[in-house]
């Protein structure tokens, strides 16, 4: 890794948690320079503008989810076991997500909806990929006879995503981290009844 790459990585690692908590609009240049100890010139010498830095921070924050989710979804076992591992990832990781300002995907999605076109497109693609992965597991379960054939995989995938993101939103908004676990368990029960024969 070159010195320039190391500097970029340093900036991203220091600033990504701030962007996740305050958003791209709410994160000031002063926040960035204070967190990194670098000058404005050093920041913009490494990133063309704030949009580029916001996108890089989003990608950094997203890696945590991607690693955990893909590990769960690519695991061996029945389709339902994979779905359970998916829920377990959120159960196990929620405290870290909560303390880091919530789900980076949801936070960026809300902010990117009204601006930041680069970030908006990346958020959209991430949701599409997430849905595609879940649909694949549901279709796998249908093909093996484990899940009901008449269930629409796309609808169940959307239910899971909306339920998880909504549970995180409620927990963060009400400052009730314990409430997340109850909602997640309820969602898992609903999904199990929807899917299983």
């Amino acid at each position: 890794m070159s010195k320039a790459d190391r500097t970029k990585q340093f900036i991203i690692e220091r600033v990504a948690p701030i962007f996740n908590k305050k958003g791209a609009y709410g994160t000031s240049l002063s926040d960035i320079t204070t967190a990194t100890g670098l000058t404005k010139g050093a920041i913009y010498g490494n990133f063309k503008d704030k949009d580029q830095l916001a996108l890089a921070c989003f990608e950094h924050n997203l890696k945590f989810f991607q690693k955990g989710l893909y590990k769960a979804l690519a695991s061996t076992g029945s389709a339902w076991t994979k779905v359970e591992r998916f829920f377990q990832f959120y159960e196990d990781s929620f405290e870290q997500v909560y303390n880091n300002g919530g789900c980076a995907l949801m936070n960026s999605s809300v902010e990117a909806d009204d601006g930041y076109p680069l970030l908006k497109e990346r958020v959209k693609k991430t949701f599409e990929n997430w849905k595609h992965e879940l649909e694949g597991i549901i279709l796998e379960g249908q093909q093996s006879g484990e899940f009901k054939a008449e269930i629409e995989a796309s609808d169940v995938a959307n239910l899971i995503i909306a339920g998880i993101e909504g549970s995180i939103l409620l927990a963060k908004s009400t400052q009730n981290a314990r409430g997340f676990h109850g909602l997640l368990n309820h969602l898992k029960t609903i999904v199990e009844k929807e899917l299983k024969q």
Side-chain angles (χ1 to χ4, degrees):
M1 190 182 279
S2 69
K3 184 180 178 185
D5 288 336
R6 285 196 305 272
T7 302
K8 276 188 175 182
Q9 190 59 34
F10 170 77
I11 293 168
I12 292 166
E13 287 174 2
R14 291 297 180 97
V15 177
I18 300 169
F19 269 92
N20 195 44
K21 290 177 182 177
K22 293 179 132 187
Y25 286 117
T27 301
S28 67
L29 182 58
S30 174
D31 291 328
I32 296 167
T33 56
T34 300
T36 60
L38 299 173
T39 64
K40 175 182 174 182
I43 301 298
Y44 289 121
N46 285 282
F47 296 94
K48 185 178 92 174
D49 53 30
K50 195 175 173 185
D51 286 0
Q52 250 193 4
L53 179 55
L55 185 59
C57 288
F58 171 74
E59 296 288 352
H60 176 79
N61 286 327
L62 195 61
K63 282 180 188 171
F64 167 75
F65 289 98
Q66 287 174 327
K67 282 166 70 176
L69 293 176
Y70 287 132
K71 184 177 177 183
L73 297 176
S75 61
T76 57
S78 69
W80 178 248
T81 298
K82 292 177 183 179
V83 172
E84 282 186 308
R85 287 183 184 142
F86 181 79
F87 280 107
Q88 193 62 50
F89 165 76
Y90 276 95
E91 184 75 31
D92 295 342
S93 306
F94 180 70
E95 187 176 344
Q96 184 176 350
V97 171
Y98 185 86
N99 292 332
N100 195 42
C103 174
L105 184 56
M106 178 174 50
N107 292 347
S108 298
S109 176
V110 171
E111 187 169 44
D113 188 48
D114 296 318
Y116 293 97
L118 287 175
L119 187 57
K120 183 175 183 175
E121 188 56 37
R122 184 63 181 97
V123 166
K124 178 185 173 191
K125 187 70 176 164
T126 303
F127 270 120
E128 287 171 352
N129 289 343
W130 187 8
K131 181 181 173 188
H132 178 73
E133 293 290 334
L134 284 170
E135 283 177 349
I137 290 171
I138 294 164
L139 290 170
E140 177 188 318
Q142 288 177 312
Q143 288 164 3
S144 69
E146 186 182 353
F147 294 159
K148 298 171 188 169
E150 68 273 15
I151 291 298
E152 183 59 52
S154 176
D155 291 343
V156 179
N158 280 333
L159 171 67
I160 293 170
I161 293 168
I164 288 172
E165 292 296 325
S167 297
I168 294 170
L169 175 67
L170 279 172
K172 282 296 295 173
S173 299
T174 61
Q175 297 182 331
N176 178 13
R178 282 183 293 182
F180 171 80
H181 301 289
L183 288 168
L184 191 70
N185 286 332
H186 189 57
L187 175 64
K188 183 178 167 185
T189 300
I190 291 169
V191 170
E192 185 174 15
K193 285 179 181 174
E194 284 279 317
L195 289 176
K196 291 179 94 173
Q197 293 281 14

